Amino acid sequence: MQIKRDDLRGPEIAAMLEAHLKDFEPHSPPESRHALDLDGLRRPEVHFYTAWEDGQLLGCGAFKRLDDEHAEIKSMRTDPNHLRKGVARAILAHLIEEARGLGIRRLSLETGSVAHFAPARQFYEALGFQCCGPFANYVEDTFSVFMTRTL
């Protein structure tokens, strides 16, 4: 598996991110969906990475710098054909390594609170993330769970 910084210009990543956004629709009202679109992910404070193997896009993930020492995990997604193969774990490990290299000392994230997002919450918890209160511009929301970990 090769993980690389991505410019978000390829059709594969556009399709994956479209599926990512559609996945939230049945589970969260619009005001509780905090995923970034392509333009949002292309902002300079966002570091976006994709995982590839044999020319196939396996997954993606990003972090958005909030300040000099704090960043937010964004757009973690594994292609459904590659679930349970360690893709998300490899991407998150890469994000952590890249963030550390930039002096980031804390990573936080927002994910859904309903049952659909339970696997994501369990994944992050297993990798050292703990529940916390809202951060950055977030506010308390019954559809959101906030998590954080130090690096």
Side-chain angles (χ1 to χ4, degrees):
M1 178 184 330
Q2 177 191 18
I3 299 174
K4 65 178 186 174
R5 186 103 186 241
D6 198 295
D7 65 6
L8 295 123
R9 305 237 182 262
E12 302 95 342
I13 194 58
M16 180 174 279
L17 291 170
E18 183 179 330
H20 185 62
L21 294 174
K22 283 195 177 296
D23 190 42
F24 300 141
E25 289 178 6
H27 308 287
S28 302
E31 65 274 10
S32 297
R33 296 181 210 147
H34 303 290
L36 297 174
D37 62 12
L38 280 171
D39 288 335
L41 290 167
R42 288 182 182 132
R43 297 187 52 84
E45 65 271 16
V46 178
H47 298 249
F48 188 87
Y49 298 88
T50 48
W52 298 83
E53 190 169 77
D54 298 326
Q56 275 194 307
L57 176 60
L58 307 180
C60 63
F63 64 86
K64 176 184 175 185
R65 287 191 82 135
L66 301 174
D67 61 38
D68 288 343
E69 296 184 348
H70 190 192
E72 177 184 6
I73 298 292
K74 300 296 289 184
S75 299
M76 287 288 295
R77 177 84 176 182
T78 300
D79 181 281
N81 296 317
H82 298 285
L83 293 173
R84 316 265 182 279
K85 296 179 181 177
V87 175
R89 187 176 290 271
I91 291 171
L92 187 56
H94 189 83
L95 294 177
I96 289 169
E97 182 181 317
E98 292 290 323
R100 276 188 181 131
L102 293 172
I104 301 294
R105 297 177 59 181
R106 175 171 297 283
L107 281 176
S108 300
L109 62 95
E110 180 275 340
T111 190
S113 64
V114 299
H116 177 76
F117 298 101
R121 293 190 306 269
Q122 292 165 355
F123 168 76
Y124 290 118
E125 195 171 88
L127 293 170
F129 285 83
Q130 298 177 339
C131 288
C132 65
F135 58 92
N137 295 326
Y138 290 106
V139 296
E140 287 291 342
D141 180 347
T142 59
F143 288 94
S144 291
V145 171
F146 304 99
M147 302 179 85
T148 195
R149 72 164 274 186
T150 57
L151 303 183

